[in-house]
Amino acid sequence: METPDKTAAEAQSSDDSGAAESAPATSIATQSWERASADPTYRAAVVDLLGALAYGELAAFERLAEDAKLAPSLADKAELASMASAEFHHFEKLRERLARIDEDPTAAMEPFAEALDEFHRLTAPSDWLEGLIKAYVGDSIASDFYREVAARLDADTRALVLSVLDDTGHSSFAVEKVRAAIEADPRVGGRLALWARRLMGEALSQAQRVVADRDALSTMLVGGVADGFDLAEVGKMFSRITEAHTKRMAALGLAA
């Protein structure tokens, strides 16, 4: 049985590898970008995916930099600033890849700005602990979703996506601080559990909206491009994401 003291980074690594491996490999997954991108629908889906990821990383950078203002100590402020820097580096990698495949990074990101901005507007943290929960829970849900999709990508794009989903230090830092706060004042736990449930609902709604609004991306998910991935599998994918969320809540010492 996994103990609550297991580091979030270890738990995250286990969850992430399981998510990526849970879906069956497709023929596209064995191809290079050059070969796979000959299919215009697949190419459009990848541009959408990279655009959504790039804007997500840019928004994460902005959010973490803003959340640093809520930090109770200089050391905590510096930790969040370091995480923000890592997110911006991920954004740069995605922007560079889009440019290399002759796509305008700004144009690729624009279709996703409204949905992501709305998510962040609806889930603006009111204090330091809510900001940590959002960084840990909200970002992890998004990462689970993108890792599921990565299993259906060509080898080159998959490697890039997985590299920008690397943990920037959110997990262990958030778990340590949140658990310490709950230990100091158990009443905090109930409020944070409710906040995490809200984040889960908003994050899943956002993911579903992004997929539904982009034809090429939804086609890839439900089987038009990535053979063998049907609507039933989409349901299983979101079930796996929900299960991973429950495990993260346990790591925080909160009820899902």
Side-chain angles (χ1 to χ4, degrees), residues 7-160:
T7 67
E10 291 171 333
Q12 179 72 39
S13 176
S14 174
D15 291 343
D16 288 343
S17 60
E21 293 171 1
S22 59
T26 70
S27 58
I28 286 178
T30 66
Q31 296 177 20
S32 67
W33 164 252
E34 287 73 17
R35 181 179 177 187
S37 61
D39 180 335
T41 302
Y42 177 76
R43 180 185 177 91
V46 169
V47 171
D48 275 351
L49 180 67
L50 297 184
L53 260 174
Y55 192 78
E57 295 290 347
L58 183 59
F61 159 73
E62 293 178 320
R63 189 191 72 246
L64 286 168
E66 186 67 21
D67 287 352
K69 298 177 182 178
L70 301 172
S73 73
L74 182 58
D76 292 333
K77 187 185 295 289
E79 188 70 26
L80 282 188
S82 177
M83 293 179 193
S85 177
E87 299 286 12
F88 191 77
H89 178 61
H90 290 164
F91 161 72
E92 290 181 315
K93 290 173 68 174
L94 291 160
R95 181 177 60 182
E96 289 166 4
R97 175 60 67 88
L98 283 163
R100 281 202 303 273
I101 62 174
D102 298 322
E103 296 289 342
D104 178 3
T106 300
M109 290 189 289
E110 279 177 347
F112 308 99
E114 182 180 352
L116 285 166
D117 288 348
E118 179 68 2
F119 169 74
H120 289 303
R121 186 188 69 79
L122 292 172
T123 58
S126 62
D127 61 19
W128 161 248
L129 290 174
E130 287 190 2
L132 287 179
I133 293 288
K134 182 175 178 179
Y136 178 54
V137 173
D139 289 358
S140 294
I141 293 169
S143 291
D144 283 344
F145 171 72
Y146 288 122
R147 285 180 185 277
E148 290 276 357
V149 177
R152 280 91 186 164
L153 299 173
D154 64 272
D156 301 323
T157 304
R158 182 170 63 253
L160 171 66

